Amino acid sequence: MNWKTHMALGAIAGYCAYPSWKGSVIGATMALVPDIDQANSKLGNLMGPVSKMLQKGFGHRTVTHSWVILFLPFLLFGDSPAAMAALWGILSHLISDMLVGRIQLLWPLRVGWLGIRVSKSMYRTVDRIVFYVAIVYIVIRGYQ
């Protein structure tokens, strides 16, 4: 998925975990974190050398797309509603990536990649559909 789709899904997930605008913002922001391992991602561009080091050292969709990243919200926010919003934002990223590709969820165990491998055209199609459905959902929920 691209960054816009991850942010939209993260905003929904964050709001579900912590029903407030803060939950949405935290979820949307944290939904970008797993792609820090890709230097040309939105967050990768901001983090420069850290992103390049992660990409070179581990590769894409390994350590930052695994169970290891699920500890980050609690390190940043402790045991709080914000931590839950962050956790759900990250989980939305991992699950959506598994719908259009594979990740090493059980890293560092080399038991294989988990997810659905799809063609590039199918990837783009699924990404667009999920993005627009998420936006419609956000708009509808916003008016309730």
Side-chain angles (χ1 to χ4, degrees):
M1 301 276 172
N2 72 34
W3 69 273
K4 294 175 193 172
T5 306
H6 282 309
M7 282 194 81
L9 293 175
I12 293 169
Y15 185 84
C16 288
Y18 179 21
S20 69
W21 67 269
K22 291 177 186 177
S24 290
V25 170
I26 292 167
T29 304
M30 293 302 286
L32 296 178
V33 169
D35 278 341
I36 195 171
D37 67 354
Q38 191 171 31
N40 65 351
S41 70
K42 251 329 164 192
L43 190 57
N45 283 327
L46 292 173
M47 298 302 288
V50 172
S51 180
K52 288 177 183 172
M53 179 189 70
L54 284 168
Q55 185 174 3
K56 194 171 193 169
F58 297 101
H60 184 49
R61 292 188 173 178
T62 57
V63 66
T64 62
H65 285 71
S66 73
W67 63 273
V68 174
I69 197 77
L70 300 178
F71 290 106
L72 184 61
F74 303 102
L75 293 172
L76 294 175
F77 300 105
D79 186 18
S80 68
M84 291 309 293
L87 176 66
W88 283 39
I90 290 173
L91 283 171
S92 74
H93 183 112
L94 301 182
I95 292 167
S96 61
D97 271 1
M98 286 174 38
L99 291 174
V100 293
R102 299 185 309 162
I103 65 172
Q104 284 240 332
L105 187 62
L106 301 175
W107 183 94
L109 300 176
R110 299 287 181 188
V111 295
W113 295 76
L114 301 172
I116 303 166
R117 188 183 287 187
V118 297
S119 67
K120 280 196 182 246
S121 63
M122 180 62 94
Y123 175 95
R124 283 191 291 275
T125 302
V126 170
D127 182 69
R128 285 184 188 134
I129 290 169
V130 170
F131 176 74
Y132 289 119
V133 168
I135 294 299
V136 168
Y137 177 82
I138 290 168
V139 169
I140 291 171
R141 283 292 295 208
Y143 282 106
Q144 289 182 347

